[in-house]
Amino acid sequence: MEAQGASARPVVEISLTVNGRPHTLAVEPRETLLDLLRMRLGLTGAKLSCDVQVCGACTVLVDGLPVSACTYLAYEARGRQVLTIEGLADGEGLHPLQQAFIDHAAFQCGYCTPGMILAAKALLDEIPRPTTDEIKHYLRGNICRCTGYKKILEAVLAAAETMASRHG
Amino acid sequence: MTEDRETTLEVVGRPTARVDGTDKVTGRARFVSDVAVPGMLETRILRSPLPHARIRGIDVSRARAVPGVAAVLTGADLDGLDPYYGVAYKDQPLLAIGRVRYEGEPVAAVAASDAVAAEAALERIEVDYDPLPAVTTLDEALAPGAPLVHERLRPAGHFRDLRALRPVEGTNICHHVRRTRGDGARGLQRAEVVVEDVFTFPAVQHVSLESFVSIARWDGDRLTVWSGTQHPFPVRKELSEIFGVPAHRIRVIAPLIGGAFGQKCYAKYEPLAAALARAAGAPVRVWVSVTDAFRTLTRHPARIHMRTGATRDGRLVARVVRAWLDTGAYADVGPRVAGKVAYLSIGPYRWEHLDVEAFAVYTHRVPAGAFRGYGAPQAEWAGESQLNRLAAELGIDPTELRLRNLLGQGEPYDPTDRPIDGDLPALLRAAARGVGWETPPRPGRGRGVAVGVKDGGGAHSVSASLVRLHADGTATVHVGSVEMGQGPRTVMAQITAETLGLPLEGISVQEPDTDLVPYDQGSSASRSTALAGTAVHRAALDVRRQLLEIARRFFEAPPDVVTLAGGAARAGGRIATYAELIAYHFGTPGGELIGRGEFHSGERDPGAPGPTAFWELGAAAAEVEVDAETGAVRVCAYASATDAGRAINPQLCEAQDQGAAVQGLGHTLFEEVRIEGGQVQNAGLIDYRVPLADDLPPTFTAALHQDGGGPGPFGAKGVGEIGIVMPAPAVAGAVAAATGARVRDLPLTPERVWRALRAADGA
Ligand code: FES
Ligand code: FES
């Protein structure tokens, strides 16, 4: 492995769908999904923080389930559907979680926010009307250093209500 | 400053969504780590494995040979620079020069086409160290004949209050501060009851989710730096001194920042990024991992010996304090922190006798520096804990003991300083009420309280602003306040909207960029809303004056009949939009009105005492349950109350307080950077535990008080820091109330609490 060049590393071709759009790319075996999204597709909504699958700043949904893109290999996403924060809004119409995060000031710096919102979406897909304790427990994998979480919990509860009322 | 109208407020104080809200929930927000400069190289830093060693030599030849590597730098490659930086002392080299002084100190750095190549190169650097004896605790550093971390000290001269640095020659003490009133020792002798304790406060890390990011690019002799810094202008000054480039050829841009909490004060990795970019002949990005942030900066660990004396009926008489702050291998703001600890260990009470002294001490450990409220959490952990103990010994309710001694509004904290500018007793009562103080807690539970005080705004600071009203009647605010989450862009837009009678959507706030915004000292010490906001308010008032003058000519009306609202002037039933007034003024549908505003600390009338711009005041109460078997503490309820002066944006003020409180619960219950033999044991988020969503107490309230006592626009104060001060003494007080166990060392780990329970049982 001496003199490993930036261009001489092996690659493998994969196909995946990101925010509804199909992509075929050559990826390196150790390339993470986060690097693929941020550096190759220019989708910088998912953030890099702890880099060790603890903080959730890099959370995206793969086939609807939250994963830490910082440690999830791009190769593992082959043939799968990836949803990032950029794909959550319906055109200019914000997703109820996005609107609730604005209404409740559920972020400050906003660095945890894309991951937090996607984790919350996965929660609401699974449990449409969660209790506060269920939200607290589910969001354990998403650190926010700014807000103290209270406004995040309020936002998720409010979004759940909005979504439930929409579904009648 | 005179307010030129007394009307009801339209935007200020009303629920207003953040101006960066949509960007932040859609992923469009551009943080500094999202900035991609074309051709930008990635970098990696090699760090010292030893706390103290001589560098015999560094072999970088194999690293340089790695394909894709553009530059490898060591301390031997810094010729032509003044390679030392630091806000108090210029003691920190941007790469170790001949000697390493802490485990984790940058020793060499690589810039390469990508991170993989940079990492490969890093592995091929060989450093020959000659280990030297290290002082890795306060005791070791203070022992007679201890090895000196620095033999010579060069004061930086950056700030007025740091010109009076007082190191102790021949020791590791880089600064000490003593304050006295009356006679401390005699006061204690006269007191009927004296309590004495030694408290410790741990090193804790900020854990900004976005760690340090600095990008540097040279264009000939011009330098541009994008950095997650709270201090664009001080960073520019530091770069100017290091590289010998005048200010006008250095541009520092601060995009959105993913959290800071003090960690990003003053120069951090910007000088190294600029040196690497120069060596590589290409733009570079230094992006330090969250794990390596633990090898960059912590809060100052402290040891505080405190004695407080009172009469039996609960009148405070005297306090004597000796405090030692471990500032690590480089001073950073350590001397200032020592000054704060000395000042704030007094507490907002009436005293006859005081003798407080604090020392900043070098050790061979990761440097300690600014962290939210610096000095206050350490000092008041001791001061408020001691009052809780005193209350118990006197058999007086801890709230009552404070109410008997608290300074009221207008009473001096220190005869030379601004009097207390808010209602501390009201805050204390509100916090106590928040946990149901008037009724006894459930069996097995206990309650504690604490009051918080902090001299806000920073001493001796300057901010300037320009507000431009464009030809179409919209406006741009130019101000250097950095958006790291606290919301200055929203608040500055609100202040401008209110002053000019414009809708919020008609206002943009320029990203901080030293080429495009006027001077600002920085976004720290809770100063942006109150002090930079004053500059913005004055700039907007300047535009307002110009508009009124033009409108008077346009309407041919006396000035006092002209009103400004909704982007238009009105007089006697006639109306003209701002766009029409600007076109009328310039005789063409072009041009703009430019307003200028400034704030500087020296402007207050010379008779005004002291440097404090405003007092951050707060109180909190906690209710806890302690597991007698394990010593685990559960915070069942937490209530805080904070004086916002006037909340420009109540939701954001409340958010600051909540976030600060939970951060404070972190260092109260579990946060501690463990350093053994100079080695950080728990760098990174796997081993260092920060509060998670389910750590939020089930009952958690933050109440804002608005007495209008701040010096800022509309009576605003800063509120960013005080909330982090009270959790530790309030929770520890509650633990003692529930169990009789008094813990003097933070965090209140189960083991410590369990041991204290044992000791209390044995007593
Ligand atoms: S960055 Fe992926 S979990 Fe923290
Ligand atoms: S908003 Fe800053 S980390 Fe959550």
Side-chain angles (χ1 to χ4, degrees):
Chain A
M1 295 286 283
E2 194 69 8
Q4 208 182 42
S7 53
R9 296 191 292 257
V11 291
V12 17
E13 189 163 287
I14 61 161
S15 297
L16 76 173
T17 305
V18 180
N19 299 335
R21 285 181 55 185
H23 294 271
T24 299
L25 301 142
V27 301
E28 291 180 30
R30 62 180 266 186
E31 185 170 345
T32 63
L33 177 59
L34 186 63
D35 279 350
L36 181 147
L37 293 169
R38 288 181 56 87
M39 304 204 323
R40 310 254 234 125
L41 302 184
L43 294 170
T44 56
K47 300 301 181 203
L48 175 65
S49 180
C50 71
D51 210 7
V52 287
Q53 225 181 322
V54 174
C55 76
C58 62
T59 303
V60 299
L61 302 188
V62 174
D63 290 343
L65 294 176
V67 305
S68 296
C70 67
T71 41
Y72 190 95
L73 293 178
Y75 179 74
E76 290 297 317
R78 69 191 187 284
R80 298 183 189 271
Q81 302 272 346
V82 177
L83 180 71
T84 75
I85 192 72
E86 290 91 342
L88 186 61
D90 181 8
E92 282 304 298
L94 295 179
H95 185 276
L97 273 163
Q98 292 172 313
Q99 190 59 51
F101 268 60
I102 293 177
D103 295 343
H104 291 264
F107 52 86
Q108 290 177 29
C109 78
Y111 202 75
C112 69
T113 310
M116 194 69 81
I117 288 178
L118 289 172
K121 178 180 187 307
L123 164 66
L124 297 187
D125 288 345
E126 196 184 314
I127 311 173
R129 298 305 298 268
T131 63
T132 300
D133 279 344
E134 283 170 327
I135 301 171
K136 279 184 175 179
H137 190 73
Y138 197 90
L139 294 182
R140 261 187 79 85
N142 290 79
I143 291 173
C144 175
R145 191 58 159 167
C146 297
T147 62
Y149 301 104
K150 179 167 169 142
K151 290 179 186 292
I152 292 174
L153 303 179
E154 290 167 356
V156 175
L157 281 173
E161 194 157 319
T162 309
M163 288 162 75
S165 66
R166 274 191 202 171
H167 294 133
Chain B
M1 177 183 54
T2 52
E3 189 52 43
D4 65 351
R5 70 203 166 122
E6 275 299 331
T7 51
T8 53
L9 301 172
E10 304 280 342
V11 190
V12 160
R14 308 215 171 222
T16 305
R18 299 178 64 110
V19 298
D20 52 5
T22 305
D23 283 350
K24 284 183 173 174
V25 300
T26 56
R28 283 203 291 264
R30 194 184 69 144
F31 290 83
V32 60
S33 55
D34 300 327
V35 172
V37 173
M40 173 175 90
L41 304 176
E42 296 294 351
T43 66
R44 287 292 183 271
I45 297 170
L46 185 71
R47 292 172 185 274
S48 169
L50 299 171
H52 191 202
R54 200 168 60 82
I55 299 173
R56 282 208 208 91
I58 306 180
D59 182 356
V60 298
S61 52
R62 288 175 65 231
R64 287 209 168 109
V66 172
V69 168
V72 182
L73 273 191
T74 73
D77 307 315
L78 306 176
D79 289 351
L81 309 183
D82 179 353
Y84 292 91
Y85 65 100
V87 59
Y89 295 103
K90 284 194 183 286
D91 56 1
Q92 187 160 13
L94 50 99
L95 290 169
I97 298 173
R99 188 141 78 114
V100 291
R101 293 187 177 85
Y102 75 91
E103 183 251 341
E105 176 160 13
V107 170
V110 177
S113 51
D114 64 18
V116 178
E119 270 158 32
L122 215 60
E123 286 164 18
R124 288 162 175 75
I125 297 175
E126 276 150 40
V127 187
D128 184 7
Y129 293 104
D130 178 12
L132 296 171
V135 290
T136 62
T137 63
L138 281 170
D139 285 333
E140 288 170 9
L142 292 166
L148 296 184
V149 180
H150 296 273
E151 260 106 41
R152 271 169 293 113
L153 287 174
R154 174 161 61 123
H158 275 219
F159 293 97
R160 201 172 102 164
D161 63 319
L162 291 178
R163 278 189 215 145
L165 288 165
R166 283 182 296 274
V168 178
E169 196 71 34
T171 74
N172 284 308
I173 296 168
C174 66
H175 184 58
H176 72 111
V177 186
R178 185 168 178 195
R179 287 174 169 270
T180 57
R181 183 188 307 170
D183 183 330
R186 296 250 314 271
L188 287 180
Q189 278 166 15
R190 291 210 194 121
E192 292 165 341
V193 182
V194 175
V195 284
E196 174 169 7
D197 299 282
V198 176
F199 296 95
T200 66
F201 196 101
V204 288
Q205 222 283 327
H206 316 64
V207 192
S208 306
L209 284 199
E210 183 183 48
S211 188
F212 298 96
V213 182
S214 295
I215 300 165
R217 184 182 72 198
W218 290 88
D219 302 288
D221 59 2
R222 303 186 84 90
L223 171 63
T224 305
V225 171
W226 292 260
S227 188
T229 179
Q230 298 172 241
H231 284 157
F233 285 88
V235 165
R236 185 181 68 170
K237 179 175 165 70
E238 197 85 75
L239 291 168
S240 171
E241 289 170 359
I242 291 171
F243 292 94
V245 175
H248 72 98
R249 284 200 262 117
I250 300 176
R251 179 176 182 190
V252 178
I253 302 168
L256 295 177
I257 296 177
F261 314 115
Q263 156 175 271
K264 298 167 183 174
C265 283
Y266 307 107
K268 289 291 178 286
Y269 288 98
E270 298 86 353
L272 180 58
L276 273 170
R278 208 168 68 156
V284 306
R285 167 164 72 181
V286 173
W287 185 347
V288 171
S289 68
V290 166
T291 301
D292 279 346
F294 284 75
R295 299 197 168 86
T296 304
L297 203 72
T298 69
R299 191 193 285 285
H300 283 79
R303 186 169 72 211
I304 301 177
H305 176 211
M306 181 177 276
R307 284 174 290 168
T308 299
T311 60
R312 253 182 233 300
D313 61 356
R315 186 170 55 79
L316 298 177
V317 175
R319 179 170 273 182
V320 176
V321 182
R322 292 293 176 270
W324 294 269
L325 288 302
D326 180 343
T327 202
Y330 299 105
D332 201 284
V333 296
R336 255 193 191 160
V337 179
K340 296 275 185 198
V341 166
Y343 200 30
L344 297 173
S345 61
I346 295 170
Y349 305 102
R350 299 186 199 102
W351 300 99
E352 286 164 48
H353 305 283
L354 290 169
D355 181 352
V356 298
E357 188 167 23
F359 303 86
V361 184
Y362 281 127
T363 59
H364 290 112
R365 303 193 357 154
V366 54
F371 188 157
R372 200 174 208 165
Y374 63 67
Q378 295 98 324
E380 294 171 59
W381 157 238
E384 289 299 294
S385 288
Q386 195 152 64
L387 280 198
N388 286 335
R389 181 177 160 203
L390 184 65
E393 308 227 337
L394 293 172
I396 300 175
D397 177 277
T399 307
E400 177 55 31
L401 176 67
R402 287 174 173 83
L403 289 172
R404 287 184 199 170
N405 293 280
L406 272 174
L407 296 173
Q409 195 150 1
E411 278 188 83
Y413 184 89
D414 179 274
T416 64
D417 206 353
R418 177 181 173 91
I420 291 294
D421 53 10
D423 190 346
L424 278 164
L427 294 169
L428 177 59
R429 286 195 190 94
R433 250 198 327 274
V435 298
W437 200 268
E438 45 306 319
T439 57
R442 271 199 245 162
R445 290 193 179 182
R447 297 196 186 117
V449 284
V451 159
V453 60
K454 198 218 157 216
D455 44 339
H460 314 299
S461 69
V462 182
S463 287
S465 170
L466 296 175
V467 170
R468 297 161 58 206
L469 185 67
H470 306 294
D472 66 352
T474 64
T476 303
V477 182
H478 297 250
V479 63
S481 299
V482 172
E483 176 57 84
M484 51 200 170
Q486 80 287 36
R489 293 192 192 172
T490 305
V491 166
M492 301 307 178
Q494 284 183 267
I495 291 169
T496 306
E498 186 69 53
T499 308
L500 290 180
L502 280 177
L504 214 53
E505 310 76 63
I507 296 170
S508 288
V509 181
Q510 166 66 41
E511 172 175 89
D513 175 334
T514 56
D515 270 11
L516 299 178
V517 300
Y519 186 86
D520 177 74
Q521 198 90 42
S523 300
S524 50
S526 304
R527 67 181 299 282
S528 293
T529 297
L531 307 187
T534 292
V536 169
H537 191 210
R538 289 173 180 176
L541 285 170
D542 188 6
V543 173
R544 185 180 168 85
R545 271 189 290 273
Q546 297 174 49
L547 270 177
L548 286 170
E549 163 62 19
I550 296 166
R552 189 187 56 75
R553 281 190 280 122
F554 181 85
F555 294 127
E556 294 177 337
D560 48 356
V561 306
V562 179
T563 61
L564 303 180
R570 288 176 181 76
R574 294 167 65 205
I575 178 164
T577 64
Y578 295 167
E580 286 166 344
L581 291 176
I582 291 172
Y584 164 76
H585 177 68
F586 291 104
T588 175
E592 64 184 26
L593 302 183
I594 303 175
R596 187 171 164 277
E598 209 173 79
F599 167 85
H600 64 99
S601 313
E603 72 186 34
R604 285 197 303 271
D605 69 278
T612 295
F614 55 86
W615 290 101
E616 279 196 70
L617 305 172
E623 179 171 307
V624 307
E625 206 168 60
V626 181
D627 184 328
E629 300 297 309
T630 64
V633 175
R634 194 174 86 93
V635 180
C636 311
Y638 189 85
S640 72
T642 300
D643 177 21
R646 157 95 66 179
I648 308 273
N649 189 317
Q651 208 177 21
L652 292 187
C653 290
E654 202 181 274
Q656 279 299 304
D657 201 39
Q658 292 180 357
V662 171
Q663 242 173 22
L665 288 173
H667 70 226
T668 302
L669 295 173
F670 35 74
E671 285 188 42
E672 174 174 21
V673 181
R674 291 196 316 278
I675 300 178
E676 282 163 30
Q679 307 277 339
V680 177
Q681 304 295 306
N682 57 342
L685 286 180
I686 290 179
D687 298 315
Y688 184 89
R689 162 140 158 53
V690 297
L692 304 174
D694 57 1
D695 292 313
L696 182 70
T699 303
F700 182 77
T701 58
L704 283 186
H705 285 228
Q706 302 193 48
D707 297 332
F714 312 99
K717 286 183 169 183
V719 296
E721 301 172 289
I722 197 65
I724 202 169
V725 174
M726 294 85 77
V731 169
V735 168
T739 64
R742 260 177 220 288
V743 185
R744 294 165 180 83
D745 307 295
L746 291 176
L748 305 176
T749 57
E751 188 190 329
R752 280 198 180 120
V753 174
W754 184 84
R755 285 182 194 286
L757 285 170
R758 284 308 182 88
D761 281 351

